């Protein structure tokens, strides 16, 4: 496949027991390339019947099937083989990801490096999760071990399809669960291909099943299925509520990752050069459609004008283009998302929030593409929606603060608590502020939207609960068995 290929690939169907099957409904969903605004592929519209088949296949795999019989080391080896297969197919996967999401090729390539790394990390970790022994009554020997839930369900979003797939199924498979994945209808071609690659490296039937389809059909059927043991979700707070309600009705656990409004807290003594370029670059990564984007810059008033100038200069140079143009950012995912972002722009204008700078859209991009020029606003009033709501677009808000206490109050002043950064060369202050912020990850004098694969990641407050990435994820996708032996 080529990024320019006009061919519409045929819907492959749903992937169950290592084979493609047509969706029971026979229906398909058209897939639009965001940079072109044109349909370029079709996926199967999976529904309740397909989900049920996938859950049954997963159940067979963990209970009595070949997957459930593998040792932790053997599971780890399969994950490591998948990492190598992803590396071997990295260019093909990056082209597919770039066409499906519109992101620049350099970013799609980086995403494949990260996706392979998930399987490399969890492949290595699979046989390194140890239990404990617990001193108990005389004549007893007590051990604990982490055991898989059984069948885990994974509902993932469209912003980083391949990475999200690796992030959620990597630890689940490492712990010995069999997975059923419902990828996002807007972008799911790489997860479908990754499932196929998993089969090609020897994952047994039923270990990894994937049912594409609409959220309200396949997603609702999967998260509400009576025979799943755990559900992991990343996406909007609204759907998060539905997922957690379904999990509650099923009396099972869930992980929710629901986005953020992550602050950069910039003190007067910060290294402005490094801070400004990091803030601008990471904000437009994935056209701002990153749950952990640092979308608020809180600046000590004494240096506000200087910081604003440095950021505005950088934002003014940012350019959106097609994947092949490989500029700073691509288009946003669809017409709805573009209209949603433009709604924020229109309301900001109505309420008189100043635009500090706008980037541009490159000449020659297809007219029907969903391009949005990046914007930076400031000073944004504290109660304005640009200071509190997740835009999920290339938009940065700047707000001044008075002192350390005010900075912490402002940083904690939204419903979210996913990530944060503190920029200061006063180590004690940076540490105090970092520990005062309610967020799952806090950087000091650095920022990486999404962070590393080794680093536990997830929300506090309304950003959700549970942890992905790092060893913490292995605990979240497994449960604990305590065995009590009386030997007299
Ligand atoms: P969404 O929450 O609707 O979709 C995420 C996933 O949930 C998709 O796979 C979707 O098919 C599925 N889904 C939708 N309805 C469902 C239902 N009733 N039951 C089960 N699954 C269902 O997100 P979206 O509409 O694609 O984006 C809307 C907003 O969500 C964005 O503007 C952004 O603010 C936020 N978002 C956040 C993240 C994140 O990483 N935290 C990712 C994507 C979107």
């Amino acid at each position: 496949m080529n990024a320019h290929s006009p061919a519409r690939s045929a819907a492959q169907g749903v992937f169950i027991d290592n084979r493609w099957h047509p969706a029971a409904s026979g229906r398909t969903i058209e897939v639009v390339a965001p940079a072109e605004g044109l349909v370029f592929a079709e996926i199967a519209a999976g529904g309740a019947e397909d989900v049920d088949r996938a859950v049954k296949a997963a159940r067979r795999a963990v209970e009595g099937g070949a997957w459930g019989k593998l040792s932790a080391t053997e599971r780890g080896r399969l994950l490591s083989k998948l990492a190598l297969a992803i590396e071997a197919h990295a260019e093909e996967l990056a082209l597919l990801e770039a066409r499906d999401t519109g992101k620049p090729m350099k970013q799609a390539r980086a995403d494949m490096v990260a996706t392979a790394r998930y399987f490399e990390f969890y492949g290595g970790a699979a046989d390194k999760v140890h239990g404990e022994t617990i001193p108990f009554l005389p004549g007893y020997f007590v051990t604990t071990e982490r055991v898989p839930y059984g069948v885990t369900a994974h509902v993932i979003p469209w912003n980083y399809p391949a990475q999200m797939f690796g992030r959620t199924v990597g630890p689940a498979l490492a712990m010995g669960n069999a997975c059923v994945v419902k990828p996002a209808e807007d972008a799911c071609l790489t997860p479908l291909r990754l499932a196929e690659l998993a089969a090609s490296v020897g994952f047994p039937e039923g270990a990894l099943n994937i049912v594409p389809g609409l959220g309200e059909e396949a997603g609702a059927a999967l998260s509400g299925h009576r025979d799943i043991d755990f559900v992991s979700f990343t996406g909007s707070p609204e759907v998060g509520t539905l997922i957690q309600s379904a999990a509650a009705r099923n009396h099972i656990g869930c992980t929710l990752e629901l986005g953020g409004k992550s602050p950069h807290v910039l003190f007067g003594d910060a290294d402005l050069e490094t801070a400004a370029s990091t803030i601008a670059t990471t904000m437009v990564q994935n056209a701002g459609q990153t749950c952990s984007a640092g979308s608020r810059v809180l600046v000590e008033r004494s240096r506000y004008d200087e910081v604003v100038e440095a950021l505005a200069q950088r934002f003014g140079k940012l350019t959106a283009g097609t994947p092949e143009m490989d500029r700073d950012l691509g288009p946003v995912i669809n017409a709805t998302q573009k209209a949603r972002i433009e709604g924020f722009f229109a309301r900001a204008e109505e309420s008189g929030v100043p635009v500090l700078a706008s980037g541009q859209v490159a000449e020659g991009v297809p007219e029907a593409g969903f391009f949005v020029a990046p914007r930076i606003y400031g000073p944004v009033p504290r109660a304005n929606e640009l200071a509190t709501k997740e835009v999920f677009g290339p938009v940065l808000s700047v707000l001044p603060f008075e002192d350390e206490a005010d900075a912490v109050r402002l940083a904690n002043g939204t419903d979210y608590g996913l990530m944060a950064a503190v920029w200061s060369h006063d180590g004690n202050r940076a540490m105090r502020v970092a520990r005062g912020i309610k967020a799952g990850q806090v950087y000091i004098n650095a920022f990486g939207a999404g962070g590393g694969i080794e680093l536990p990641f997830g929300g506090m407050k309304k950003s959700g609960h549970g942890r992905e990435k790092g060893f913490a994820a292995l605990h979240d996708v497994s449960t604990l068995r305590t065995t009590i032996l009386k030997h007299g």
Side-chain angles (χ1 to χ4, degrees):
M1 126 136 226
N2 170 310
H4 301 280
S5 159
R8 286 172 57 161
S9 69
Q12 290 160 301
V14 298
F15 195 74
I16 299 172
D17 269 337
N18 286 354
R19 282 182 295 281
W20 292 109
H21 307 263
S25 68
R27 286 186 291 120
T28 55
I29 301 168
E30 291 185 331
V31 183
V32 173
E36 300 152 48
L38 294 172
V39 174
F40 79 106
E42 286 179 342
I43 52 165
E49 208 179 316
D50 308 292
V51 163
D52 189 53
R53 279 167 68 195
V55 172
K56 287 196 169 103
R59 181 63 64 196
R60 282 194 301 273
V62 269
E63 285 175 17
W67 177 241
K69 294 193 180 106
L70 293 184
S71 68
T73 309
E74 288 166 328
R75 289 198 305 269
R77 280 193 193 126
L78 281 175
L79 284 154
S80 305
K81 280 190 190 167
L82 180 53
L84 294 174
I86 294 168
E87 282 171 5
H89 291 82
E91 192 61 14
E92 169 209 334
L93 287 162
L95 280 163
L96 200 56
E97 190 84 321
R99 189 107 193 254
D100 208 7
T101 62
K103 61 183 79 188
M105 274 307 292
K106 60 187 168 205
Q107 195 190 323
R109 290 190 179 108
D111 284 6
M112 295 316 132
V113 173
T115 305
R117 176 84 186 109
Y118 276 110
F119 291 102
E120 182 187 44
F121 180 87
Y122 288 111
D127 59 3
K128 292 164 192 71
V129 180
H130 301 159
E132 293 177 326
T133 58
I134 300 177
F136 193 48
L137 300 171
Y140 283 83
F141 184 73
V142 180
T143 60
T144 65
E145 61 181 324
R146 297 227 60 103
V147 292
Y149 276 116
V151 176
T152 52
H154 307 260
V155 179
I156 60 174
W158 40 259
N159 49 352
Y160 294 87
Q163 278 209 59
M164 288 289 172
F165 179 84
R167 179 171 117 180
T168 188
V169 303
L173 291 169
M175 290 308 293
N177 299 287
C179 302
V180 181
V181 183
K182 206 304 277 179
E185 52 273 41
D186 278 298
C188 68
L189 299 182
T190 52
L192 292 169
R193 181 75 181 112
L194 289 168
E196 211 174 44
L197 282 179
S200 77
V201 301
F203 274 83
E205 286 183 358
L208 181 52
N209 310 279
I210 178 157
V211 182
L214 297 174
E216 57 273 29
E217 295 178 0
L222 177 58
S223 53
H225 197 286
R226 293 294 294 170
D227 199 32
I228 59 168
D229 301 303
F230 184 81
V231 55
S232 160
F233 172 75
T234 298
S236 63
E238 296 73 24
V239 177
T241 306
L242 299 176
I243 300 275
Q244 184 152 355
S245 307
R249 282 193 295 276
N250 235 342
H251 305 293
I252 59 171
C254 66
T255 297
L256 298 182
E257 202 272 84
L258 308 176
K261 188 77 184 172
S262 300
H264 289 275
V265 181
L266 208 153
F267 284 93
D269 65 347
D271 170 355
L272 186 51
E273 267 305 292
T274 309
S277 56
T278 307
I279 292 168
T281 319
T282 53
M283 184 59 237
V284 296
Q285 176 185 317
N286 217 45
Q289 304 165 117
T290 303
C291 46
S292 51
S295 54
R296 289 186 295 154
V297 186
L298 317 180
V299 187
E300 192 163 15
R301 194 177 287 282
S302 59
R303 259 187 121 182
Y304 181 79
D305 292 342
E306 215 183 319
V307 171
V308 154
E309 201 189 312
L311 286 170
Q313 240 181 42
R314 283 167 176 82
F315 253 70
K317 289 187 194 136
L318 294 171
T319 307
T322 61
E324 308 79 57
M325 288 176 178
D326 233 354
R327 306 301 288 264
D328 304 297
L329 65 154
V332 297
I333 191 72
N334 56 29
T336 311
Q337 194 68 11
K338 184 174 182 214
R340 187 172 174 276
I341 297 163
E342 287 171 349
F344 277 94
F345 291 168
R347 291 189 295 278
E349 195 175 329
E350 269 165 37
S351 50
V353 184
V355 179
L356 296 167
S358 289
Q360 47 274 310
V361 175
E363 272 180 33
V365 302
E367 258 183 39
F370 310 123
F371 294 93
V372 177
R375 275 198 197 176
I376 175 166
Y377 286 93
V380 176
R382 292 183 178 203
N384 187 277
E385 62 175 5
L386 283 179
T388 58
K389 285 201 181 153
E390 185 178 53
V391 179
F392 230 60
V395 185
L396 187 62
S397 303
V398 192
L399 293 85
F401 67 79
E402 307 304 332
D403 55 24
E404 190 178 314
D406 189 38
V408 173
R409 210 168 27 243
L410 195 51
N412 288 331
T414 73
D415 283 346
Y416 295 107
L418 193 57
M419 276 185 63
V422 184
W423 298 87
S424 170
H425 283 299
D426 175 343
N428 292 344
R429 175 168 64 186
M431 199 61 190
R432 271 196 310 274
V433 172
R435 299 191 70 199
I437 296 176
K438 288 186 183 148
Q441 264 186 16
V442 187
Y443 278 84
I444 297 176
N445 293 326
F447 190 74
I453 278 111
E454 308 81 353
L455 312 177
F457 176 83
M460 292 188 186
K461 296 159 69 186
K462 296 199 191 306
S463 285
H465 51 76
R467 289 292 174 269
E468 294 184 298
K469 302 189 176 181
F471 266 73
L474 296 165
H475 281 219
D476 273 36
V477 290
S478 60
T479 185
L480 195 67
R481 177 191 292 127
T482 306
T483 307
I484 303 116
L485 171 82
K486 184 177 180 189
H487 53 71

